[in-house]
Amino acid sequence: EAKKRLNAQHPGYIIDEELSDEDKIIVKKPNGKVIVAFRGTDPGNKIKSGIGKGMNEPIMWIPIGLGKEDVFDQHKHDDLKDDLIKKYGIQNIDKITGYSMGGTKAHKLADNLGIDSTLFNPLLGSKFFMTPLSPNTKHHIIRTTEDVATLQAIYTQKGKKMPKNVKVDSIDEVI
């Protein structure tokens, strides 16, 4: 179904079935550049490995909200990072994006690669931007007020100033 919609709306764009899975999709554009996009939390999905294995994904919100972004295997992208570089080259990774928990994952990968990201309602922990690997990488956060991740961010980010490389907009400002 996704392939049909992509072909209808964006002819020439190709889903990389080797690197894509139920958590993320890698799409190659006609110019050879790729977009990496991560989905948000699926309450019915289980954590696949490591801490919390077998538990439903929403349990990840608690430690991430407390600043423990690296405790879950699903947020570590060393293999994906290496695969993207090997297959496409860093210069051909055009965009990294994600929604909610997928925004958290997208930020992590973008920071590791030094590639700008657009994050939609990312679930931000209390230490989310504290020690960037790529401090010059730009992260554009777009928020709506109806989202759980945005409500959570009100508490975890309260009183904290965002670094200069992070821009936050409400959806109303973007449209």
Side-chain angles (χ1 to χ4, degrees):
E1 185 63 31
K3 278 188 198 178
K4 281 189 220 175
R5 280 187 280 151
L6 183 65
N7 289 334
Q9 294 175 7
H10 301 284
Y13 283 58
I14 301 166
I15 296 173
D16 181 327
E17 294 185 41
E18 178 187 355
L19 298 182
S20 299
D21 59 29
E22 66 180 8
D23 293 327
K24 66 191 170 302
I25 188 166
I26 289 80
V27 177
K28 184 176 178 183
K29 299 177 358 179
N31 66 2
K33 302 237 179 217
V34 294
I35 300 168
V36 180
F38 291 90
R39 70 160 174 81
T41 304
D42 181 343
N45 270 12
K46 305 286 185 193
I47 297 171
K48 295 173 188 65
S49 64
I51 293 175
K53 182 179 179 181
M55 299 176 81
N56 286 21
E57 285 184 1
I59 198 71
M60 291 190 281
W61 295 350
I62 297 166
I64 288 172
L66 297 171
K68 305 287 185 196
E69 285 89 7
D70 287 344
V71 298
F72 297 102
D73 288 351
Q74 287 170 250
H75 290 245
K76 298 174 184 171
H77 302 295
D78 293 335
D79 290 342
L80 176 60
K81 175 183 153 185
D82 294 343
D83 291 344
L84 286 166
I85 291 170
K86 183 178 177 183
K87 189 166 186 176
Y88 297 106
I90 194 128
Q91 72 281 1
N92 289 316
I93 303 170
D94 191 32
K95 296 178 185 174
I96 300 176
T97 188
Y99 168 76
S100 193
M101 184 67 76
T104 306
K105 295 172 185 180
H107 167 265
K108 177 80 171 173
L109 180 64
D111 191 46
N112 280 326
L113 289 168
I115 294 174
D116 296 350
S117 68
T118 302
L119 313 172
F120 297 90
N121 293 328
L123 186 67
L124 301 178
S126 61
K127 299 177 184 172
F128 198 71
F129 294 108
M130 297 280 276
T131 54
L133 297 173
S134 304
N136 295 322
T137 300
K138 291 182 174 58
H139 303 285
H140 186 187
I141 297 173
I142 300 172
R143 291 226 173 267
T144 61
T145 55
E146 301 84 24
D147 187 77
V148 171
T150 297
L151 294 174
Q152 177 265 354
I154 290 170
Y155 297 101
T156 62
Q157 300 298 310
K158 187 176 181 179
K160 293 185 178 158
K161 187 176 179 184
M162 287 290 182
K164 291 179 182 177
N165 66 324
V166 178
K167 181 180 183 219
V168 181
D169 289 319
S170 76
I171 193 71
D172 299 326
E173 294 167 352
V174 176
I175 293 179

Short mmCIF file of all heavy atoms in Angstrom, two decimals, residues 103-155:
data_model
loop_
_atom_site.label_atom_id
_atom_site.label_comp_id
_atom_site.label_asym_id
_atom_site.label_seq_id
_atom_site.Cartn_x
_atom_site.Cartn_y
_atom_site.Cartn_z
N GLY A 103 10.59 10.99 16.40
CA GLY A 103 11.36 12.22 16.42
C GLY A 103 12.57 12.09 17.32
O GLY A 103 13.64 12.63 17.03
N THR A 104 12.40 11.37 18.41
CA THR A 104 13.52 11.12 19.32
C THR A 104 14.59 10.30 18.60
O THR A 104 15.78 10.59 18.67
CB THR A 104 13.02 10.36 20.57
OG1 THR A 104 11.95 11.10 21.15
CG2 THR A 104 14.12 10.18 21.59
N LYS A 105 14.14 9.26 17.89
CA LYS A 105 15.07 8.41 17.14
C LYS A 105 15.73 9.19 16.01
O LYS A 105 16.94 9.05 15.77
CB LYS A 105 14.33 7.20 16.58
CG LYS A 105 13.78 6.27 17.66
CD LYS A 105 12.90 5.19 17.05
CE LYS A 105 12.26 4.34 18.12
NZ LYS A 105 11.40 3.29 17.55
N ALA A 106 14.96 10.02 15.31
CA ALA A 106 15.50 10.82 14.20
C ALA A 106 16.56 11.79 14.70
O ALA A 106 17.60 11.97 14.07
CB ALA A 106 14.36 11.57 13.50
N HIS A 107 16.29 12.42 15.84
CA HIS A 107 17.27 13.35 16.41
C HIS A 107 18.59 12.63 16.69
O HIS A 107 19.67 13.11 16.38
CB HIS A 107 16.75 13.99 17.69
CG HIS A 107 17.82 14.69 18.45
ND1 HIS A 107 18.51 14.07 19.48
CD2 HIS A 107 18.37 15.91 18.31
CE1 HIS A 107 19.42 14.90 19.95
NE2 HIS A 107 19.37 16.03 19.26
N LYS A 108 18.50 11.46 17.29
CA LYS A 108 19.70 10.69 17.65
C LYS A 108 20.52 10.35 16.41
O LYS A 108 21.74 10.55 16.39
CB LYS A 108 19.27 9.42 18.40
CG LYS A 108 20.39 8.51 18.78
CD LYS A 108 21.09 9.00 20.00
CE LYS A 108 22.06 7.93 20.47
NZ LYS A 108 22.88 8.39 21.53
N LEU A 109 19.86 9.85 15.36
CA LEU A 109 20.57 9.49 14.14
C LEU A 109 21.14 10.74 13.47
O LEU A 109 22.30 10.74 13.04
CB LEU A 109 19.64 8.74 13.17
CG LEU A 109 20.29 8.32 11.85
CD1 LEU A 109 21.41 7.31 12.09
CD2 LEU A 109 19.24 7.73 10.92
N ALA A 110 20.36 11.80 13.40
CA ALA A 110 20.82 13.04 12.76
C ALA A 110 22.04 13.60 13.50
O ALA A 110 23.00 14.05 12.87
CB ALA A 110 19.69 14.07 12.72
N ASP A 111 21.98 13.58 14.82
CA ASP A 111 23.11 14.08 15.62
C ASP A 111 24.35 13.21 15.38
O ASP A 111 25.45 13.73 15.24
CB ASP A 111 22.72 14.10 17.09
CG ASP A 111 23.74 14.84 17.94
OD1 ASP A 111 24.16 15.94 17.54
OD2 ASP A 111 24.11 14.32 19.00
N ASN A 112 24.17 11.90 15.31
CA ASN A 112 25.31 10.99 15.07
C ASN A 112 25.93 11.21 13.69
O ASN A 112 27.13 11.07 13.53
CB ASN A 112 24.87 9.53 15.20
CG ASN A 112 24.80 9.08 16.63
OD1 ASN A 112 25.58 9.51 17.46
ND2 ASN A 112 23.86 8.22 16.94
N LEU A 113 25.09 11.53 12.70
CA LEU A 113 25.58 11.71 11.33
C LEU A 113 25.97 13.15 11.01
O LEU A 113 26.61 13.41 10.00
CB LEU A 113 24.52 11.25 10.32
CG LEU A 113 24.27 9.75 10.24
CD1 LEU A 113 23.01 9.45 9.45
CD2 LEU A 113 25.47 9.05 9.62
N GLY A 114 25.52 14.09 11.85
CA GLY A 114 25.77 15.51 11.56
C GLY A 114 24.90 16.03 10.45
O GLY A 114 25.32 16.88 9.66
N ILE A 115 23.67 15.51 10.37
CA ILE A 115 22.73 15.91 9.32
C ILE A 115 21.53 16.60 9.98
O ILE A 115 21.02 16.14 11.00
CB ILE A 115 22.27 14.67 8.52
CG1 ILE A 115 23.48 14.11 7.76
CG2 ILE A 115 21.14 15.01 7.57
CD1 ILE A 115 23.24 12.83 7.06
N ASP A 116 21.08 17.70 9.38
CA ASP A 116 19.94 18.44 9.93
C ASP A 116 18.70 17.56 9.97
O ASP A 116 18.54 16.64 9.16
CB ASP A 116 19.66 19.68 9.08
CG ASP A 116 20.80 20.68 9.11
OD1 ASP A 116 21.73 20.52 9.92
OD2 ASP A 116 20.76 21.64 8.31
N SER A 117 17.82 17.85 10.94
CA SER A 117 16.60 17.06 11.09
C SER A 117 15.38 17.96 11.23
O SER A 117 15.50 19.12 11.64
CB SER A 117 16.70 16.13 12.30
OG SER A 117 16.70 16.88 13.51
N THR A 118 14.23 17.41 10.89
CA THR A 118 12.94 18.02 11.18
C THR A 118 12.18 17.03 12.03
O THR A 118 11.99 15.88 11.63
CB THR A 118 12.16 18.33 9.88
OG1 THR A 118 12.95 19.20 9.07
CG2 THR A 118 10.83 19.00 10.20
N LEU A 119 11.79 17.47 13.22
CA LEU A 119 11.16 16.58 14.20
C LEU A 119 9.75 17.09 14.49
O LEU A 119 9.57 18.25 14.83
CB LEU A 119 12.00 16.57 15.49
CG LEU A 119 13.51 16.40 15.31
CD1 LEU A 119 14.23 16.61 16.63
CD2 LEU A 119 13.83 15.05 14.71
N PHE A 120 8.78 16.21 14.35
CA PHE A 120 7.39 16.56 14.60
C PHE A 120 6.98 16.01 15.97
O PHE A 120 6.99 14.79 16.17
CB PHE A 120 6.49 16.00 13.50
CG PHE A 120 6.80 16.58 12.15
CD1 PHE A 120 7.74 15.99 11.32
CD2 PHE A 120 6.17 17.74 11.73
CE1 PHE A 120 8.04 16.52 10.09
CE2 PHE A 120 6.46 18.29 10.49
CZ PHE A 120 7.40 17.68 9.67
N ASN A 121 6.68 16.90 16.89
CA ASN A 121 6.28 16.52 18.25
C ASN A 121 7.20 15.46 18.85
O ASN A 121 6.74 14.44 19.35
CB ASN A 121 4.84 16.03 18.28
CG ASN A 121 3.86 17.12 17.98
OD1 ASN A 121 4.08 18.27 18.29
ND2 ASN A 121 2.76 16.75 17.35
N PRO A 122 8.52 15.69 18.84
CA PRO A 122 9.41 14.66 19.39
C PRO A 122 9.24 14.53 20.90
O PRO A 122 8.93 15.51 21.58
CB PRO A 122 10.81 15.19 19.06
CG PRO A 122 10.64 16.66 19.03
CD PRO A 122 9.26 16.88 18.45
N LEU A 123 9.41 13.33 21.38
CA LEU A 123 9.39 13.07 22.82
C LEU A 123 10.78 13.47 23.33
O LEU A 123 11.77 12.81 23.04
CB LEU A 123 9.11 11.60 23.08
CG LEU A 123 8.94 11.22 24.54
CD1 LEU A 123 7.67 11.84 25.10
CD2 LEU A 123 8.90 9.72 24.70
N LEU A 124 10.85 14.58 24.04
CA LEU A 124 12.14 15.11 24.51
C LEU A 124 12.34 14.78 25.97
O LEU A 124 11.49 15.08 26.80
CB LEU A 124 12.18 16.63 24.35
CG LEU A 124 12.00 17.19 22.96
CD1 LEU A 124 12.02 18.71 23.00
CD2 LEU A 124 13.07 16.66 22.04
N GLY A 125 13.48 14.21 26.27
CA GLY A 125 13.84 13.97 27.65
C GLY A 125 14.48 15.20 28.27
O GLY A 125 14.80 16.17 27.58
N SER A 126 14.72 15.15 29.55
CA SER A 126 15.26 16.31 30.27
C SER A 126 16.68 16.64 29.85
O SER A 126 17.15 17.75 30.06
CB SER A 126 15.19 16.06 31.77
OG SER A 126 15.97 14.93 32.12
N LYS A 127 17.39 15.70 29.24
CA LYS A 127 18.78 15.93 28.82
C LYS A 127 18.94 15.83 27.31
O LYS A 127 20.05 15.64 26.81
CB LYS A 127 19.70 14.92 29.50
CG LYS A 127 19.67 15.00 31.01
CD LYS A 127 20.53 13.92 31.62
CE LYS A 127 20.40 13.95 33.12
NZ LYS A 127 21.06 12.83 33.75
N PHE A 128 17.86 16.00 26.59
CA PHE A 128 17.81 15.71 25.16
C PHE A 128 18.90 16.40 24.34
O PHE A 128 19.52 15.78 23.50
CB PHE A 128 16.43 16.09 24.62
CG PHE A 128 16.09 15.48 23.30
CD1 PHE A 128 15.84 14.14 23.20
CD2 PHE A 128 16.03 16.26 22.16
CE1 PHE A 128 15.51 13.56 21.98
CE2 PHE A 128 15.71 15.70 20.95
CZ PHE A 128 15.44 14.35 20.86
N PHE A 129 19.14 17.68 24.58
CA PHE A 129 20.11 18.42 23.77
C PHE A 129 21.38 18.77 24.55
O PHE A 129 22.16 19.61 24.13
CB PHE A 129 19.49 19.71 23.24
CG PHE A 129 18.39 19.48 22.25
CD1 PHE A 129 17.07 19.72 22.60
CD2 PHE A 129 18.66 19.01 20.98
CE1 PHE A 129 16.05 19.51 21.69
CE2 PHE A 129 17.64 18.79 20.07
CZ PHE A 129 16.34 19.04 20.41
N MET A 130 21.60 18.13 25.69
CA MET A 130 22.69 18.52 26.58
C MET A 130 24.08 18.29 26.00
O MET A 130 24.95 19.14 26.12
CB MET A 130 22.58 17.77 27.91
CG MET A 130 21.32 18.09 28.68
SD MET A 130 21.44 19.61 29.57
CE MET A 130 22.25 19.07 31.03
N THR A 131 24.34 17.15 25.39
CA THR A 131 25.68 16.85 24.89
C THR A 131 25.61 16.39 23.44
O THR A 131 25.74 15.21 23.13
CB THR A 131 26.34 15.74 25.75
OG1 THR A 131 25.45 14.62 25.79
CG2 THR A 131 26.64 16.21 27.15
N PRO A 132 25.42 17.34 22.52
CA PRO A 132 25.32 16.95 21.11
C PRO A 132 26.65 16.43 20.57
O PRO A 132 27.71 16.94 20.94
CB PRO A 132 24.92 18.24 20.41
CG PRO A 132 25.37 19.33 21.31
CD PRO A 132 25.31 18.76 22.71
N LEU A 133 26.58 15.42 19.73
CA LEU A 133 27.78 14.92 19.06
C LEU A 133 28.16 15.86 17.92
O LEU A 133 29.32 15.98 17.56
CB LEU A 133 27.54 13.52 18.50
CG LEU A 133 27.24 12.44 19.54
CD1 LEU A 133 26.85 11.14 18.86
CD2 LEU A 133 28.44 12.24 20.44
N SER A 134 27.15 16.49 17.32
CA SER A 134 27.35 17.42 16.21
C SER A 134 26.68 18.74 16.57
O SER A 134 25.55 18.99 16.17
CB SER A 134 26.74 16.85 14.93
OG SER A 134 27.25 15.58 14.64
N PRO A 135 27.35 19.61 17.32
CA PRO A 135 26.71 20.83 17.81
C PRO A 135 26.26 21.81 16.73
O PRO A 135 25.43 22.67 16.98
CB PRO A 135 27.77 21.47 18.71
CG PRO A 135 29.00 20.69 18.56
CD PRO A 135 28.70 19.45 17.80
N ASN A 136 26.77 21.69 15.51
CA ASN A 136 26.35 22.59 14.43
C ASN A 136 25.19 22.04 13.61
O ASN A 136 24.71 22.70 12.70
CB ASN A 136 27.54 22.91 13.52
CG ASN A 136 28.60 23.70 14.26
OD1 ASN A 136 28.28 24.55 15.08
ND2 ASN A 136 29.85 23.39 13.99
N THR A 137 24.76 20.82 13.91
CA THR A 137 23.63 20.23 13.22
C THR A 137 22.36 20.94 13.67
O THR A 137 22.14 21.14 14.86
CB THR A 137 23.53 18.72 13.54
OG1 THR A 137 24.74 18.10 13.10
CG2 THR A 137 22.36 18.09 12.85
N LYS A 138 21.51 21.31 12.71
CA LYS A 138 20.28 22.03 13.02
C LYS A 138 19.12 21.04 13.18
O LYS A 138 18.97 20.12 12.39
CB LYS A 138 19.97 23.05 11.93
CG LYS A 138 20.96 24.19 11.90
CD LYS A 138 20.59 25.19 10.83
CE LYS A 138 21.44 26.42 10.86
NZ LYS A 138 22.84 26.24 10.71
N HIS A 139 18.32 21.27 14.22
CA HIS A 139 17.14 20.45 14.48
C HIS A 139 15.94 21.37 14.53
O HIS A 139 15.87 22.27 15.37
CB HIS A 139 17.29 19.68 15.80
CG HIS A 139 18.51 18.83 15.85
ND1 HIS A 139 18.61 17.64 15.17
CD2 HIS A 139 19.70 19.00 16.48
CE1 HIS A 139 19.80 17.11 15.38
NE2 HIS A 139 20.48 17.93 16.17
N HIS A 140 15.01 21.18 13.61
CA HIS A 140 13.79 21.99 13.55
C HIS A 140 12.66 21.17 14.16
O HIS A 140 12.31 20.11 13.65
CB HIS A 140 13.47 22.36 12.11
CG HIS A 140 12.33 23.30 11.98
ND1 HIS A 140 11.80 23.63 10.76
CD2 HIS A 140 11.61 24.00 12.89
CE1 HIS A 140 10.82 24.49 10.93
NE2 HIS A 140 10.67 24.71 12.21
N ILE A 141 12.12 21.67 15.25
CA ILE A 141 11.03 20.98 15.95
C ILE A 141 9.73 21.70 15.62
O ILE A 141 9.63 22.92 15.76
CB ILE A 141 11.26 20.99 17.48
CG1 ILE A 141 12.54 20.22 17.82
CG2 ILE A 141 10.05 20.42 18.20
CD1 ILE A 141 12.94 20.32 19.27
N ILE A 142 8.75 20.92 15.18
CA ILE A 142 7.42 21.46 14.91
C ILE A 142 6.46 20.79 15.88
O ILE A 142 6.41 19.57 15.97
CB ILE A 142 7.01 21.21 13.45
CG1 ILE A 142 8.03 21.88 12.51
CG2 ILE A 142 5.59 21.73 13.20
CD1 ILE A 142 7.85 21.56 11.06
N ARG A 143 5.72 21.61 16.62
CA ARG A 143 4.84 21.11 17.69
C ARG A 143 3.39 21.48 17.44
O ARG A 143 3.08 22.53 16.91
CB ARG A 143 5.26 21.72 19.01
CG ARG A 143 6.59 21.22 19.50
CD ARG A 143 6.47 20.87 20.97
NE ARG A 143 7.65 20.23 21.49
CZ ARG A 143 7.83 18.93 21.54
NH1 ARG A 143 6.91 18.11 21.12
NH2 ARG A 143 8.91 18.43 22.06
N THR A 144 2.51 20.58 17.88
CA THR A 144 1.09 20.89 18.02
C THR A 144 0.78 20.78 19.50
O THR A 144 1.47 20.09 20.24
CB THR A 144 0.19 19.90 17.24
OG1 THR A 144 0.41 18.59 17.77
CG2 THR A 144 0.51 19.92 15.76
N THR A 145 -0.23 21.47 19.95
CA THR A 145 -0.53 21.46 21.38
C THR A 145 -1.38 20.26 21.80
O THR A 145 -1.56 20.03 22.98
CB THR A 145 -1.26 22.75 21.79
OG1 THR A 145 -2.42 22.90 20.97
CG2 THR A 145 -0.34 23.94 21.62
N GLU A 146 -1.87 19.50 20.84
CA GLU A 146 -2.74 18.37 21.18
C GLU A 146 -2.00 17.06 21.38
O GLU A 146 -2.61 16.04 21.65
CB GLU A 146 -3.79 18.14 20.06
CG GLU A 146 -4.69 19.29 19.78
CD GLU A 146 -4.06 20.30 18.82
OE1 GLU A 146 -3.18 19.93 18.04
OE2 GLU A 146 -4.46 21.48 18.87
N ASP A 147 -0.70 17.06 21.26
CA ASP A 147 0.07 15.83 21.26
C ASP A 147 0.63 15.52 22.64
O ASP A 147 1.09 16.40 23.36
CB ASP A 147 1.22 15.95 20.26
CG ASP A 147 1.96 14.65 20.07
OD1 ASP A 147 1.42 13.78 19.38
OD2 ASP A 147 3.05 14.51 20.64
N VAL A 148 0.62 14.24 23.01
CA VAL A 148 1.15 13.79 24.30
C VAL A 148 2.61 14.19 24.48
O VAL A 148 3.01 14.65 25.55
CB VAL A 148 1.00 12.25 24.43
CG1 VAL A 148 1.74 11.72 25.65
CG2 VAL A 148 -0.46 11.85 24.46
N ALA A 149 3.42 14.03 23.43
CA ALA A 149 4.84 14.37 23.53
C ALA A 149 5.04 15.86 23.82
O ALA A 149 5.95 16.24 24.55
CB ALA A 149 5.57 13.98 22.26
N THR A 150 4.18 16.70 23.25
CA THR A 150 4.28 18.13 23.51
C THR A 150 3.91 18.44 24.95
O THR A 150 4.58 19.23 25.62
CB THR A 150 3.39 18.92 22.54
OG1 THR A 150 3.87 18.69 21.21
CG2 THR A 150 3.41 20.41 22.83
N LEU A 151 2.86 17.81 25.46
CA LEU A 151 2.48 18.03 26.85
C LEU A 151 3.59 17.58 27.79
O LEU A 151 3.91 18.25 28.77
CB LEU A 151 1.18 17.30 27.16
CG LEU A 151 -0.06 17.81 26.43
CD1 LEU A 151 -1.25 16.90 26.71
CD2 LEU A 151 -0.35 19.24 26.81
N GLN A 152 4.22 16.45 27.48
CA GLN A 152 5.32 15.94 28.29
C GLN A 152 6.49 16.91 28.26
O GLN A 152 7.14 17.16 29.26
CB GLN A 152 5.72 14.55 27.79
CG GLN A 152 6.88 13.92 28.49
CD GLN A 152 8.20 14.15 27.77
OE1 GLN A 152 8.25 14.71 26.68
NE2 GLN A 152 9.27 13.76 28.40
N ALA A 153 6.76 17.51 27.11
CA ALA A 153 7.89 18.44 26.97
C ALA A 153 7.71 19.68 27.83
O ALA A 153 8.69 20.28 28.28
CB ALA A 153 8.07 18.83 25.51
N ILE A 154 6.46 20.07 28.07
CA ILE A 154 6.20 21.23 28.93
C ILE A 154 6.85 21.02 30.29
O ILE A 154 7.39 21.94 30.89
CB ILE A 154 4.68 21.48 29.06
CG1 ILE A 154 4.14 21.97 27.72
CG2 ILE A 154 4.38 22.46 30.19
CD1 ILE A 154 2.63 22.03 27.66
N TYR A 155 6.84 19.79 30.77
CA TYR A 155 7.40 19.49 32.09
C TYR A 155 8.90 19.20 32.04
O TYR A 155 9.65 19.68 32.88
CB TYR A 155 6.65 18.34 32.74
CG TYR A 155 5.21 18.70 32.99
CD1 TYR A 155 4.21 18.27 32.14
CD2 TYR A 155 4.86 19.54 34.05
CE1 TYR A 155 2.90 18.64 32.35
CE2 TYR A 155 3.55 19.92 34.26
CZ TYR A 155 2.58 19.46 33.41
OH TYR A 155 1.28 19.84 33.60
#
